Amino acid sequence: MTRLALDGDAAIAEGVRLSRPRFVAAYPITPQTPIVERVADFIAVGRLDARYMATESEHSALTAVVGSAVVGVRTFTATAGAGLALMHEIVGVASGNRLPILMAIANRALPSPWSLQTDHSDSMAERDMGWIQLYAENCQEALDLVIVGYRVAESVRLPVMLCIDGFFLSHATEGVEVPEQEAVDAFLPPYVRGSNHLDPEHPMTLNQLTSADMFTELKYCHKLALDRTIEEFPVIGAAFGVSFGRPYSLVEAEATEGADLVLVTLGSCSGTAKHVARALRAQGKKVGTLKVTAFRPFPRQAIRDTLAGAKAVAVIDRSWGLGSDGALALDVKAALYGAPNIPVYDFIAGLGGRDLHAGTISACVDRALAMAADGTTQDGPEWIDLRKEVPHE
Amino acid sequence: MQTEIRILSRGGQGAVTAAKLLVSAALSEGKYAQMVPNFGQERKGAPVFTFARISDEPVLTHTYVYEPNVVVLFDPFLSDLGIDPKENVVAPATLVANTSQDVEGYPFSVSFTRLGAIDARSVTRETIGDVPPNSAMLGALAKTTGLVRLASLQQAIRTAMQGPRGEKNALCAGVAYERTVVHEWRR
Amino acid sequence: MNNATSLIAHGLTTCEGCSMEIIARNALDVLGKDTIVLTPPSCSAILTGFGWETGWKVPAFQSNLENIAAYCAGISETLELVGRRGVHVVAFAGDGGTVDIGLQALSAAVERGHRFVYICYDNEAYMNTGIQRSGGTPIGAWTTTTPAGKKEGKKDIVRMLLAQGIPYIATASVGEIPDFRRKVEKASRVDGPSYIHALTPCSTGWRFKPKDTVTIARLAVETGLWPLYEAENGVVRITKHIKQRVSLAEYLKAQGRFADITPEQVAAMEADIGHRARMLELQECEGGMCV
């Protein structure tokens, strides 16, 4: 295995190259663009045997990928922010047709106001669309989860959205172990087309209008595939660990048992949270971490089991949660419903590229421990890294 | 031991490329390393902040650097824009500065215990031509901090830039390494 | 064409006198079974069926309204990848899905040059949702969203695509089936995008008796309102010369939708007919270069 200096975008492109998709369609948008530039390069120089379609919009990119997948090859696309929002209608088509497409998202805040920078508002807006949604903590995970993602996708016949934080991962360079092609080929079997495909030898009509008699049942099948993902993902993630030394699971817990506080996170801030929690534990404070790798399907049971031994929970949401709680906190609270009374505190932070640094995470810990100590409950999420000196009216 | 590095530069000076090369060099020595850029509206001449970490352990944080051990100053005139190279530095801090000034008279010496001074512009002109001073700054960084070996840097440069361009940049880093004047204050 | 060999099932639930269905049947009859067909949510989706039923005996996919050409692009390129280049990919979309919401995807797919046949059946309004104005609705026509008649003229998508340099493009009419079939045949042999725009009068939306579908379609051609022509690699050829144009009034009075058209609107339509005829003749004798 070679350890290369790669940024998150490049790491994803390497994962794509190793996974051998045959068809790629994409449209440029910051901070996703370097992914597809690198994939286009691989195709141009013959390192990836695939066709690259530079479409006129993200909407058409995902559409073309759906068209390709329904003929029956492995496909890839990538986007970010407003590009994902433009795709929204087709996001449902891809999952509803049970097409194992892999789409990388370099998370970028949705407008408005405009931002080039990261938060999870783009992918959170798609969270109920029936895709598997994975969040990488670092550039190594970005690469690995492409390969794991394809195998999971093709096993349960569902598309995967692989999210990396814009800039903090997409443009951050780290050492990344790039697996050998032979090892990836041994792990990820050649693509097998689904029973739903377009082929004049077996004519069938796909995706047509459905009555109320069948819509519910078809959606229920879709739900069952997501349920199955909860079982399949850890098995495939463990198999990846056997082959490559880096196992993956739905969630990753550290020092959660008996913790006074567990930090629950998504994406690149998960590492920062671990760093903060380890430092606090070194000072004798019992703070654990729980990283959610698979946000969809939401690993309800794993989260319930992990948090059962904790005294309090602080969720860090890197999305707006406007009108309610942050998206992650909502689900964590729902997972804990009926469990022994564990207070869950929600912190909105790191929006529109604001650095979700160790200081912010420490502030979450301090606030949550203080509230837990005096039994205070939260009435909605706390915007922990708000600049107090700026007028808010 | 994790070293936190803040690079202060202007758009077009190649600081992001330099930080990537630094990461490559550190990786080749079996260390862990990371570069996190801070992109704004891309414009030549605008201040650019780039962050790097070099460590013996895996780097967990994916954030900017707030309390640097090392500051790399590509342009001393950035202070005219209110950018303070000594902001929140952690003692014993090191400054690597692109300057033609005499080290003793360097204005930031109070906050740093070590200063590496290099006239990166001149070295770059001599060895390559009218191009960004990033290879020279890397040479100066290696000399001043010892975080990476010059040979690793030169290899990283040659790998990233094939052919004569790589050779010239590697030479530039080497000449800068030799010419960097390192000064230490004891207090 | 007989029902036994037809690639579209009989007994579909299209309206009585539907010309879209006639166009679809003939297109499939020419293209044959090695065809993948796409329909957007529109009248042609009736052919794609509902629930357990489908009208197509060839593979079919229901697209979204705005992106049928992008689906065709992905399907066509992938067929080529898997060695199935001989399979025709056909989009069968209405005027709204083509000239309005589908224009971006269509224009881009044509620009990229994928091999697919795009057939627009033009019934001059959003008929499937119940007769709403589209960019293809002519001036003076009543629709439910232009209760006093449309103020603006019809968008000429054929000229737009011709200007883009599409390898093959043609107009067609449900009143001229042999001409349509010949054009489909030609389109199917193009190594790149091809486009056929067929005027398909709609009894329900245009307010005429179902039995008059073909008559109305022929009148559109004979009045000069719907000239029949094709262009191969930009070379324009008029495929039906109209020596003596039938009066436009005859076409307008046959349809309830033009009941309230104003004399100014009729004059504008007539001016447009004259202008278009002159331009086409000029293009034809100039060797077909698009002006």
Side-chain angles (χ1 to χ4, degrees), chain A residues 116-165:
Chain A
L116 296 164
Q117 311 257 3
T118 203
D119 70 34
H120 298 159
S121 52
D122 53 356
S123 51
M124 284 303 161
E126 306 299 333
R127 71 188 194 268
D128 295 341
M129 295 305 287
W131 285 53
I132 296 167
Q133 224 179 52
L134 309 176
Y135 288 80
E137 178 195 320
N138 52 43
C139 299
Q140 184 70 59
E141 289 195 3
L143 186 153
D144 292 347
L145 288 173
V146 173
I147 301 164
V148 171
Y150 272 117
R151 185 155 153 193
V152 173
E154 290 165 21
S155 165
V156 296
R157 309 305 296 186
L158 282 177
V160 168
M161 215 177 271
L162 170 54
C163 304
I164 58 170
D165 289 349

